[in-house]
Amino acid sequence: VRSSMTEREERRFAEVPRESIKLMAESTGVELSEEVATLLAEDVCYRLREATQNSSQFMRHAKRRKLSVEDFNRALRWSNTETVCGYGAQDALPFRPLKEGELFFVEDREINLVELALATNIPKGCAETMVRVHVSYLDGKGNLEPQGTVPTAVQSLSEDLLKYYQQITRAILGEDPHLMKVALLDLQSNSKIAALLPYFVYVISGVKSVSHDLDQLNRLLHMVKSLVQNPYLYLGSYVRSLVSSVMYCILEPLAASINPLNDHWTLRDYAALLLSHIFWTHGDLVSGLYHQILLSLQKVLSDPVRPLCSHYGAVVGLHALGWKAVERVLYPHLPAYWANLQAVLDDYSVSNAQVKADGHKVYGAILVAVERLLKMKALSLTLAAEGGCAGLPGTATGAVGFRENSLGLSPPPEPLSEPPLGIASHLQAGGAGCPWEEWTPVSLPAMYCELYSFFGDSLAVRFSTGPPLGGATPPGPCQPLEGRKEPASSAPNLENTRKMPQLTASMNISPRRDGSPRMEPQPPSLAATVPGRSLARSSSSSSSVSRSRSSSSRPGRSTSQSRDIFPKARFPLPQAGPPAFSFIIGGRQMGRRCQGRRFQTSFTPTPPHTTLPPRAYAHKLPVIGRVSKPVRRWTCSHYSLHLPL
Amino acid sequence: MAAVQDGPMELDAEKEAKPEILSDGTSNLSGNTASGTLSSSPLTAAPAGGAPKMEDQQTLIAVLQFLKRNKLSESVEILRREAGLGEHQEGSQATDGSGGGKGDGDGGDANSLLSRVSITSAAAPQSMPVKSDCIINIFRCDLPFMFMLSEDQPDVSVVLSAYSQQGDPPLYQVYYSGLKNFIESVLDCHRAELSQLFYPLFVHMYLELVYNNHETEAKAFFDKFSGDQECYYQDDLHILCGLTKKEHLKGNEVLLDFRTSRFVLHISRDSYQLLKRHLQERHNNQIWNIIQEHLYIDIFDGMPRSKSQIDSMSGSLAGEAKREVNKAKVFYGLLKEPEIEVPLDDEDDEAENEEGKPKKKKTKKDSLGSKSKKQDPNAPQQNRIPLPELKDSDKLDKIMYMKESTKRIRLGPENLPSICFYTFLNAFQGLTAVDFTDDSSLLAGGFADSTVRVWSVTPKKLRKVKSAGELNVIEKESDDVLERIMDEKTASESKILHGHSGPVYGVSFSPDRNYLLSSSEDGTVRLWSLQTFTCLVGYKGHNYPVWDTHFSPFGYYFVSGGHDRVARLWATDHYQPLRIFAGHLADVTCTRFHPNSNYVATGSTDRTVRLWDVLNANCVRILTGHKGPIHSLAFSPNGKFLASGSTDGRVLLWDIGHGLMIGELKGHTDTIYALKFSRDGEILASGSMDNTVRLWDSMKAFDEVETDDFTATTGHIHLPDNSQELLLGMYHSKSTPVTHLHFTRRNLLLAAGAYNSQ
């Protein structure tokens, strides 16, 4: 709590309120009377102002416009006051408001020193200060010749570097794939090219001029990858430029994508992967980068005018940034977006065929993204539970595969006050889709329910099956597929993964009108079972309620039009209706010390979500992504929702 | 004869004994009575004969009250007996004073009693009896005395104690707006002049209120009238409005400046008479007191100045300069160049020039009027300041200089210099100072990380001298011994000098390129050898950051100025300063030697430029007119003119001989950190934080000033607003503030600055 502007406008300073003084005093264990606090507050204000005024002198003599922390500290030092430590970072310190209680604070992130110390990617440090000459020749009239541009600036590089630069760019952008590979490899490992970095970045920023040429785009992206992976390069603020080039490939309706034969999807996928790579390895170089990326992705996603390939890019981009990004941006945005996608997918006209195909791509991408979201969320819950019991938080486990797993790595919601792009203001202003301000975590079951209402069984299939997160999930929660088939067989599983509390949900789904291979006569029901327990009754009753509700709201539903009402019907639901799902988490927790404790938690998701029958439509879609055997799954009427919680 | 001082105005600032003010004040009053101009005024109605007796009695009463308050009842008794004062008298005095209030017979609280008296006196001046006025005076003398007794900080408290209770706080607004109404109602020609009073009065009244703990009244006063002040006082007002408590006043430099130095105003006699008459008529004691005690009104005979004339000269922390300050004679001429025989056989590559060269040079010099062989009448004695003997290497350099100057491009409006910009890359906002050697072969940068870096900007690399051991084995008689002592292994483009423990704010090369000076936040000035690239001396004297340092054009001497508000003159072989130039009211931000080395110019945060005589450390010029701290200074090559640039983005041109402003160059939008005249003085280049270099036609600026103006009695000239005509060119860098400018010997303009990526 530093200071807050008061309403008194005639005095244009920050003032430290009395309450802050009291708080600070309390934190050091001193009780202050109201009177003393007032006096102290006034004096503190004055001293702060005095110090600030003095510090401006140091700024002026350093010939800067920006007052630095150092300046302030010098002013303090010269007035025999203890200096303030820990604020020397170059980047602006995030200053955040907290909604409740009008609390303002400087974000103080904890830094894992071990990680920092053991980091393999050691930055090279600052570049050497040097002097460069530029001559403006003036004629008699005082006119000067035009200023040099970057290519001419390259000329001033040393002979060797210049040669290298020419060779590399020629090789990468040239025809010979072998040469390109060699060049990329060298770019990835050469330790002496720091001086060339700006030029390479400049070359890469040329993506905008070759958007018709997928091949060139790919090459440039490979160049980005090589630069990013070069351990000797300190990218610094060039990260921003690289990211913007990559984002261009992800999001822009490239000229190349006009021709459906061009596989720009792969390019976007690759760019998204690259983005996540840059972000996870270099994201710390530019503060607020994460949010800028998220914001631009969100902007694209929420812009219905953008072509579907852009939307696709946004979704894969979010996916690549990790499940948290999906949870924060894609998930809250899904209901709104769904309506648009739906419209596209429902248009069977020939003219729409291409767009529709694109729509399917987007659909698939979303599906993959939310699948990972659900799985990772489940996993994170597990880890959290485990961490609470075993004492060692999930870093060890989380670090195994996806870096998103380790919660510590995921950047905390930084303050949105990032000056460079003026994004913060935009974000705070944009109320509706703003994922950060009003974002509250949604519980996993609730999320599942909601998502299920969109995707129907195709989600369930993917969720329950599929390779366990690309084989990257920690061995604990990852279980062999066979074990999930029946609730009964989860008992031996429990022993294998003994620490895992387990949630088992079995679900009966009737994809009646969807033309799935087998018709099920029962109403959709879901039973979450723990060994020896069944809640089938409650869930079936709830879903019957939902059926009746939906049928009453839309009589024509039975004529395979159910999806039409879907986006509208979703919203009034949370207030009404009994819970449709109830989960019971049961299991055995066993730490290293204790014998194990049986526990059973039952929770009912707060809002009942599936008041509609599962989306019949979903099943018609070709399954996109990595699911191995979707069709066989379809034949089963019983799906076990086997979640390692 | 111009500065005719009015009697009452001659109050000495150094007056230590406060009671004297009383006598002074009364004599002042009686003086007025004698003149008989204002016979109706109750003030002057005091009977000249009866006053002293009355006064004594009042003094006695006041002493009695003081004693009573301090519970010295026996003394009270004794005094009362001896003075023959009855208890009733005392009481009646009080009743009298409080204008019919209930008799405060006990006199328990002199303070409250007296302040009530003063309230009445202020509220109802017409009905106020003379005696109560005297009481006020007594009391005013009394309080400071008590303060001195009670507090052991003589300086600050004495200064501040002048702000003891003087009037009724709520009435301050009335006083001020009374004066304001008056000034707004006078004739236009006087209004501009009298408006100068607003700011100092405002500040003093505000501080008085604050000092007497009338926080709310002070705030109200500030809110009501701060908007009326000139915009160029905004910075000070901003600081001022932060002061709301008496405690804040102690240790506040701005305040002390205001208190210790009298604010100087130039007002024509007519306007002054008008003001005086008004204040006496309206009996506006409060304002009159402030004017007497805290302002210095320099009265001149002649036409009142116009608003623009006043504005161009005002803006400094303590008002304008007193005119007698700038009366001293300044020897601004250049010293005679030493006779150096240019060896003709040396001109191997310029055979065609051999014949014509000396003549050509001579004509050129004559045309410049700067370096003629005969003694310049305005030049100081050759040995006024002892200067170092020329070494052989210096003579060689002089010869080089002459050769170069023959190839010099004659600049002018039709022939602008090309600009060569040295951009510091990867300086990370850390470049704080730059200097070039005179022959433009070396470049030094001071950095915020306390390093000094030296670059060679010619292909010749920087080499260190070999170590002592290696030097021993060198054959000392060989012709190329100077070459042999250099260690080829150390050759590099740049060298880093470590030694300071704070940002380096100023660097300066010695003229012979053997030394480099750097001044730093750590309070020291360091002398570095450019032969060994090591630190030779650390000059300690400034106890605070040293903002700037500059070598004399003849070497040996250098000047430094810093946060301690003084500039110091040093010689390289003395560890203590030779002279201390004290007088600035705030930090000395930049220092420059005059080309003849007899004078030093300093620019300061108090928004004045001062010129100091090196011989006797006297301040010979105070130049006011800047509206912001001054960050750059440049002498014209002929020594006649001075240019100064400040944070307000304006360059002001000064005539040193007359101490007058002769030009104002407007155009920059940010602080000007670099100023330089071309070698012949035709072009002035200015570099600023706004990433531009601007070239100005200085010849035109100097020529357009009518020399007659200087001889006018008022000494105030009309400044032509011709910035746009004088601006010859403006050149943008992409994102590089200009930190330093330098003209090579052939008049190529070198600029330097650090690229700023943000």
Side-chain angles (χ1 to χ4, degrees):
Chain A
V1 186
R2 275 292 290 277
S3 59
S4 64
M5 290 300 290
T6 56
E7 307 77 36
R8 292 203 285 162
E9 289 212 356
E10 65 272 24
R11 306 246 155 150
R12 289 155 296 166
F13 332 108
E15 296 199 0
V16 182
R18 193 171 59 224
E19 290 75 22
S20 305
I21 296 287
K22 288 184 93 171
L23 258 176
M24 284 182 236
E26 270 170 30
S27 69
T28 51
V30 185
E31 277 285 321
L32 288 184
S33 74
E34 202 75 3
E35 204 179 334
V36 173
T38 313
L39 284 174
L40 266 180
E42 278 187 35
D43 199 56
V44 164
C45 291
Y46 175 73
R47 300 295 161 200
L48 276 177
R49 279 201 294 277
E50 203 179 27
T52 314
Q53 271 153 6
N54 290 342
S55 60
S56 72
Q57 226 173 20
F58 291 94
M59 173 190 76
R60 276 205 305 268
H61 281 100
K63 303 186 167 75
R64 269 185 276 114
R65 271 195 207 87
K66 212 156 109 188
L67 189 72
S68 74
V69 179
E70 260 306 288
D71 294 332
F72 193 80
N73 272 341
R74 285 187 202 291
L76 289 182
R77 208 173 304 140
W78 283 112
S79 51
N80 292 326
T81 313
E82 227 173 279
T83 55
V84 189
C85 296
Y87 294 90
Q90 285 285 317
D91 292 327
L93 276 177
F95 189 63
R96 298 190 53 190
L98 197 70
K99 269 239 149 166
E100 305 85 37
E102 297 213 345
L103 199 63
F104 298 85
F105 59 94
V106 174
E107 195 160 52
D108 199 2
R109 224 192 295 169
E110 275 180 23
I111 293 172
N112 190 339
L113 284 180
V114 177
E115 233 168 73
L116 202 67
L118 301 181
T120 48
N121 184 10
I122 297 168
K124 276 265 287 184
C126 304
E128 185 64 17
T129 306
M130 51 178 136
V131 183
R132 284 281 168 270
V133 195
H134 178 94
V135 185
S136 299
Y137 296 100
L138 305 190
D139 58 14
K141 296 279 168 292
N143 303 314
L144 58 132
E145 66 163 23
Q147 300 247 340
T149 51
V150 171
T152 58
V154 173
Q155 305 296 327
S156 71
L157 286 169
S158 81
E159 208 52 25
D160 296 343
L161 279 178
L162 184 63
K163 231 177 187 173
Y164 179 84
Y165 169 78
Q166 285 167 343
Q167 297 268 351
I168 287 281
T169 43
R170 235 174 255 157
I172 292 178
L173 300 175
E175 295 300 313
D176 188 346
H178 178 69
L179 213 56
M180 179 184 100
K181 254 179 214 160
V182 173
L184 286 174
L185 264 179
D186 190 68
L187 207 53
Q188 195 172 323
S189 55
N190 198 323
S191 60
K192 301 178 184 69
I193 54 170
L196 285 173
L197 179 62
Y199 306 113
F200 285 128
V201 170
Y202 177 75
V203 169
I204 288 165
S205 70
V207 285
K208 281 154 198 158
S209 55
V210 291
S211 79
H212 57 279
D213 191 341
L214 273 184
D215 198 36
Q216 293 285 19
L217 287 176
N218 252 320
R219 286 159 185 269
L220 288 175
L221 283 182
H222 276 101
M223 203 160 153
V224 175
K225 179 168 162 262
S226 295
L227 287 179
V228 167
Q229 288 186 335
N230 188 328
Y232 304 103
L233 275 183
Y234 174 72
L235 292 183
S237 55
Y238 289 114
V239 166
R240 215 183 273 280
S241 172
L242 289 180
V243 162
S244 87
S245 296
V246 173
M247 293 280 276
Y248 181 86
C249 292
I250 299 178
L251 291 178
E252 285 309 307
L254 306 168
S257 50
I258 295 169
N259 183 352
L261 293 179
N262 278 337
D263 189 11
H264 58 100
W265 308 104
T266 321
L267 179 80
R268 290 176 203 277
D269 286 342
Y270 180 65
L273 265 178
L274 200 53
L275 178 70
S276 87
H277 186 74
I278 294 175
F279 172 67
W280 288 116
T281 51
H282 293 81
D284 51 333
L285 293 180
V286 183
S287 71
L289 183 68
Y290 182 68
H291 283 99
Q292 282 170 28
I293 295 176
L294 282 197
L295 195 81
S296 38
L297 290 174
Q298 183 202 347
K299 233 163 106 188
V300 170
L301 199 61
S302 57
D303 183 358
V305 184
R306 293 266 193 161
L308 284 166
C309 54
S310 290
H311 292 158
Y312 176 84
V315 174
V316 293
L318 286 169
H319 179 63
L321 281 179
W323 64 276
K324 291 218 156 180
V326 176
E327 186 181 22
R328 294 220 174 165
V329 179
L330 180 61
Y331 174 70
H333 197 70
L334 211 47
Y337 183 68
W338 200 257
N340 294 326
L341 187 59
Q342 187 102 33
V344 171
L345 294 180
D346 282 349
D347 187 351
Y348 288 93
S349 61
V350 179
S351 60
N352 192 47
Q354 184 55 46
V355 180
K356 187 158 173 287
D358 289 357
H360 283 300
K361 275 281 191 191
V362 180
Y363 179 91
I366 297 178
L367 188 57
V368 172
V370 299
E371 174 203 356
R372 235 263 298 286
L373 165 64
L374 288 173
K375 287 186 175 169
M376 293 311 300
K377 204 166 159 70
L379 185 63
S380 77
L381 288 176
T382 321
L383 291 176
E386 189 187 36
C389 162
L392 191 78
T395 43
T397 351
V400 176
F402 283 67
R403 301 188 68 170
E404 301 93 321
N405 292 4
S406 91
L407 302 166
L409 267 180
S410 190
E414 279 178 71
L416 312 160
S417 52
E418 268 312 307
L421 291 180
I423 267 165
S425 55
H426 177 86
L427 225 153
Q428 275 156 345
C434 173
W436 291 285
E437 287 302 293
E438 288 105 31
W439 185 75
T440 45
V442 182
S443 73
L444 175 61
M447 185 180 285
Y448 182 83
C449 293
E450 182 165 350
L451 289 174
Y452 187 80
S453 72
F454 291 130
F455 293 97
D457 282 352
S458 57
L459 178 69
V461 170
R462 296 188 59 92
F463 192 45
S464 57
T465 64
L469 299 174
T473 15
C478 156
Q479 293 165 8
L481 277 171
E482 302 83 56
R484 293 183 212 165
K485 276 195 172 175
E486 288 155 340
S489 69
S490 61
N493 269 338
L494 255 183
E495 307 227 309
N496 295 340
T497 65
R498 58 191 200 286
K499 277 173 280 181
M500 295 299 114
Q502 206 165 37
L503 176 135
T504 335
S506 79
M507 209 171 11
N508 291 322
I509 302 161
S510 161
R512 190 176 290 166
R513 289 158 299 276
D514 59 11
S516 68
R518 195 167 295 182
M519 310 282 258
E520 289 293 325
Q522 319 99 294
S525 74
L526 176 111
T529 56
V530 199
R533 231 169 215 269
S534 168
L535 291 172
R537 204 187 314 154
S538 69
S539 58
S540 66
S541 68
S542 70
S543 51
S544 63
V545 168
S546 69
R547 265 167 83 82
S548 61
R549 280 181 81 244
S550 59
S551 57
S552 67
S553 66
R554 180 84 181 213
R557 179 190 52 84
S558 52
T559 60
S560 83
Q561 292 293 317
S562 67
R563 55 186 176 271
D564 290 349
I565 56 159
F566 177 93
K568 286 168 238 158
R570 230 192 103 251
F571 295 102
L573 293 182
Q575 289 80 15
F581 273 62
S582 64
F583 284 73
I584 288 184
I585 303 177
R588 196 165 224 247
Q589 275 185 323
M590 228 192 295
R592 289 196 190 117
R593 306 271 158 75
C594 59
Q595 276 289 321
R597 179 170 64 85
R598 284 187 177 283
F599 70 93
Q600 200 174 50
T601 320
S602 116
F603 58 87
T604 52
T606 26
H609 296 272
T610 24
T611 42
L612 282 175
R615 262 188 47 71
Y617 181 77
H619 306 289
K620 286 192 198 157
L621 287 168
V623 179
I624 305 149
R626 299 160 303 181
V627 178
S628 46
K629 304 171 197 163
V631 187
R632 240 187 60 199
R633 291 280 140 198
W634 271 114
T635 58
C636 305
S637 57
H638 261 67
Y639 298 113
S640 71
L641 231 183
H642 185 93
L643 283 185
L645 275 185
Chain B
M1 31 78 205
V4 176
Q5 283 289 320
D6 213 313
M9 291 301 120
E10 269 167 354
L11 256 178
D12 242 342
E14 291 81 39
K15 219 149 260 173
E16 303 281 19
K18 294 291 173 184
E20 273 186 30
I21 292 173
L22 170 66
S23 58
D24 226 287
T26 41
S27 73
N28 179 14
L29 291 178
S30 50
N32 283 335
T33 326
S35 73
T37 47
L38 304 160
S39 55
S40 65
S41 160
L43 247 188
T44 51
K53 177 117 200 344
M54 212 49 164
E55 225 171 78
D56 284 351
Q57 207 172 13
Q58 303 307 337
T59 316
L60 284 171
I61 291 170
V63 172
L64 272 177
Q65 282 171 343
F66 177 77
L67 292 173
K68 271 191 181 177
R69 199 178 54 193
N70 290 309
K71 306 261 179 339
L72 303 165
S73 50
E74 282 193 24
S75 313
V76 171
E77 281 305 309
I78 293 165
L79 181 65
R80 196 173 280 162
R81 209 167 41 239
E82 285 184 349
L85 278 173
E87 196 141 350
H88 66 277
Q89 259 172 309
E90 199 185 327
S92 72
Q93 283 299 341
T95 330
D96 223 340
S98 58
K102 64 174 190 292
D104 256 351
D106 55 359
D109 191 351
N111 222 336
S112 72
L113 169 73
L114 289 168
S115 68
R116 199 149 0 96
V117 170
S118 61
I119 290 167
T120 336
S121 73
Q126 301 305 328
S127 66
M128 183 190 64
V130 183
K131 334 168 206 174
S132 65
D133 187 46
C134 297
I135 294 180
I136 299 166
N137 280 336
I138 294 162
F139 185 63
R140 223 183 327 118
C141 328
D142 221 341
L143 252 190
F145 183 63
M146 288 192 271
F147 265 102
M148 280 197 279
L149 284 181
S150 60
E151 293 184 31
D152 282 338
Q153 298 170 297
D155 281 335
V156 179
S157 58
V158 164
V159 165
L160 292 178
S161 60
Y163 278 143
S164 51
Q165 186 87 32
Q166 290 205 353
D168 188 25
L171 287 175
Y172 273 51
Q173 293 196 21
V174 178
Y175 300 145
Y176 188 87
S177 48
L179 184 74
K180 192 176 148 194
N181 291 337
F182 161 70
I183 290 177
E184 278 168 0
S185 68
V186 298
L187 286 175
D188 281 357
C189 61
H190 301 297
R191 189 191 303 149
E193 289 215 308
L194 293 180
S195 297
Q196 299 176 79
L197 281 166
F198 282 140
Y199 176 68
L201 281 177
F202 170 79
V203 175
H204 281 292
M205 289 172 86
Y206 176 76
L207 291 178
E208 243 174 62
L209 286 172
V210 170
Y211 182 80
N212 293 311
N213 289 324
H214 303 299
E215 195 181 338
T216 45
E217 285 89 351
K219 190 175 167 309
F221 183 76
F222 188 92
D223 291 346
K224 188 158 180 198
F225 300 114
S226 64
D228 300 344
Q229 310 306 325
E230 298 286 352
C231 55
Y232 41 79
Y233 292 121
Q234 275 310 314
D235 287 352
D236 284 349
L237 289 180
H238 199 75
I239 295 172
L240 204 62
C241 72
L243 294 161
T244 51
K245 291 246 184 297
K246 190 171 168 181
E247 294 78 45
H248 297 164
L249 300 192
K250 279 170 202 158
N252 187 300
E253 293 167 4
V254 176
L255 169 84
L256 280 177
D257 290 341
F258 223 90
R259 299 290 309 114
T260 49
S261 62
R262 288 174 157 211
F263 198 93
V264 181
L265 305 167
H266 288 198
I267 291 185
S268 72
R269 180 170 298 284
D270 292 349
S271 306
Y272 176 69
Q273 295 290 358
L274 206 64
L275 172 76
K276 198 166 84 177
R277 200 175 313 135
H278 164 78
L279 290 178
Q280 285 169 351
E281 264 170 23
R282 302 295 299 275
H283 190 46
N284 206 337
N285 240 354
Q286 194 63 38
I287 295 207
W288 188 243
N289 285 334
I290 292 177
I291 290 176
Q292 280 191 321
E293 286 173 29
H294 302 309
L295 306 190
Y296 179 96
I297 299 188
D298 200 346
I299 297 161
F300 61 87
D301 290 308
M303 286 285 289
R305 293 186 296 169
S306 70
K307 173 94 173 106
S308 65
Q309 277 178 322
I310 292 169
D311 278 349
S312 69
M313 298 294 288
S314 52
S316 96
L317 198 61
E320 298 181 35
K322 294 175 193 173
R323 273 172 308 148
E324 74 254 22
V325 177
N326 289 343
K327 289 266 184 277
K329 163 101 175 136
V330 174
F331 302 102
Y332 56 80
L334 297 185
L335 295 178
K336 204 164 58 178
E337 285 289 313
E339 305 274 345
I340 298 170
E341 280 148 40
V342 181
L344 295 181
D345 55 347
D346 203 36
E347 312 259 324
D348 42 0
D349 53 342
E350 286 162 274
E352 75 276 12
N353 269 3
E354 265 180 48
E355 203 64 37
K357 195 185 172 229
K359 205 187 287 174
K360 196 174 164 193
K361 210 172 7 180
K362 196 167 183 188
T363 50
K364 192 170 227 169
K365 276 176 192 160
D366 281 343
S367 68
L368 302 178
S370 61
K371 287 171 191 167
S372 57
K373 295 285 181 204
K374 60 177 189 285
Q375 178 76 31
D376 184 337
N378 290 312
Q381 288 284 314
Q382 201 71 12
N383 56 357
R384 189 165 179 264
I385 304 286
L387 292 173
E389 291 280 311
L390 281 185
K391 294 180 299 229
D392 285 351
S393 58
D394 296 331
K395 287 178 181 160
L396 277 175
D397 196 55
K398 283 263 187 267
I399 293 168
M400 279 303 295
Y401 175 81
M402 287 175 184
K403 278 188 194 168
E404 291 274 314
S405 41
T406 57
K407 298 178 195 162
R408 183 183 294 164
I409 298 165
R410 195 69 195 264
L411 298 179
E414 296 304 313
N415 197 11
L416 294 179
S418 289
I419 304 172
C420 183
F421 206 114
Y422 288 83
T423 309
F424 288 72
L425 301 175
N426 304 323
F428 307 105
Q429 301 243 320
L431 182 74
T432 44
V434 180
D435 195 29
F436 283 98
T437 52
D438 187 68
D439 68 348
S440 318
S441 63
L442 298 177
L443 168 65
F447 288 84
D449 63 1
S450 17
T451 60
V452 178
R453 287 159 203 253
V454 184
W455 279 269
S456 167
V457 295
T458 59
K460 199 177 157 198
K461 297 207 167 170
L462 300 175
R463 294 171 300 177
K464 288 185 189 175
V465 170
K466 286 177 182 165
S467 69
E470 287 170 306
L471 285 178
N472 271 335
V473 299
I474 289 177
E475 196 189 327
K476 282 153 193 90
E477 299 307 314
S478 67
D479 287 343
D480 59 347
V481 67
L482 288 178
E483 190 59 28
R484 287 194 184 194
I485 58 170
M486 306 313 287
D487 188 354
E488 208 54 47
K489 289 197 290 286
T490 59
S492 64
E493 246 183 43
S494 81
K495 295 267 184 254
I496 305 182
L497 307 175
H498 294 282
H500 280 295
S501 59
V504 178
Y505 291 120
V507 287
S508 178
F509 279 107
S510 73
D512 61 4
R513 294 187 300 285
N514 281 325
Y515 305 105
L516 174 69
L517 279 172
S518 62
S519 69
S520 159
E521 190 249 10
D522 61 13
T524 63
V525 179
R526 281 176 186 270
L527 183 74
W528 309 85
S529 162
L530 297 180
Q531 302 295 333
T532 59
F533 292 99
T534 50
C535 182
L536 301 175
V537 198
Y539 300 95
K540 292 173 187 171
H542 291 281
N543 290 322
Y544 286 95
V546 189
W547 297 131
D548 198 11
T549 185
H550 189 236
F551 244 116
S552 149
F554 297 92
Y556 187 60
Y557 299 110
F558 66 93
V559 63
S560 65
H563 183 60
D564 55 5
R565 303 170 180 210
V566 296
R568 285 162 203 254
L569 179 85
W570 312 74
T572 48
D573 57 359
H574 287 64
Y575 67 93
Q576 280 180 327
L578 305 178
R579 298 281 183 276
I580 293 181
F581 306 118
H584 274 298
L585 299 173
D587 302 31
V588 176
T589 50
C590 56
T591 54
R592 279 293 170 277
F593 255 100
H594 190 276
N596 68 19
S597 198
N598 279 254
Y599 296 93
V600 164
T602 56
S604 162
T605 311
D606 68 10
R607 308 189 284 271
T608 63
V609 177
R610 284 175 190 241
L611 193 72
W612 310 85
D613 193 337
V614 168
L615 185 66
N616 49 23
N618 283 340
C619 176
V620 290
R621 291 286 179 272
I622 301 179
L623 309 172
T624 64
H626 272 296
K627 316 287 191 254
I630 291 143
H631 276 271
S632 51
L633 289 169
F635 281 99
S636 71
N638 61 10
K640 258 179 104 171
F641 304 104
L642 176 67
S644 58
S646 82
T647 55
D648 59 12
R650 299 180 319 144
V651 178
L652 297 184
L653 301 174
W654 310 91
D655 180 285
I656 296 170
H658 299 90
L660 289 175
M661 188 196 300
I662 52 166
E664 179 187 20
L665 307 176
K666 286 186 274 194
H668 279 293
T669 56
D670 210 327
T671 307
I672 295 160
Y673 279 117
L675 279 174
K676 196 80 177 186
F677 282 96
S678 69
R679 292 280 172 168
D680 296 329
E682 293 109 334
I683 300 275
L684 173 65
S686 62
S688 155
M689 277 279 270
D690 62 12
N691 302 343
T692 61
V693 173
R694 288 172 206 240
L695 302 178
W696 311 87
D697 190 346
S698 53
M699 270 306 169
K700 194 174 172 192
F702 296 143
D703 288 345
E704 281 187 5
V705 178
E706 297 293 321
T707 39
D708 293 347
D709 284 338
F710 297 148
T711 51
T713 41
T714 55
H716 306 298
I717 53 157
H718 273 289
L719 281 182
D721 186 19
N722 54 356
S723 294
Q724 287 316 305
E725 299 166 32
L726 295 177
L727 180 64
L728 298 176
M730 173 171 75
Y731 304 97
H732 282 276
S733 66
K734 274 175 196 152
S735 180
T736 309
V738 185
T739 329
H740 189 75
L741 290 168
H742 178 77
F743 276 95
T744 66
R745 290 172 173 178
R746 299 186 189 189
N747 265 340
L748 173 71
L749 178 56
L750 308 183
Y755 175 69
N756 187 355
S757 55
Q758 277 144 4

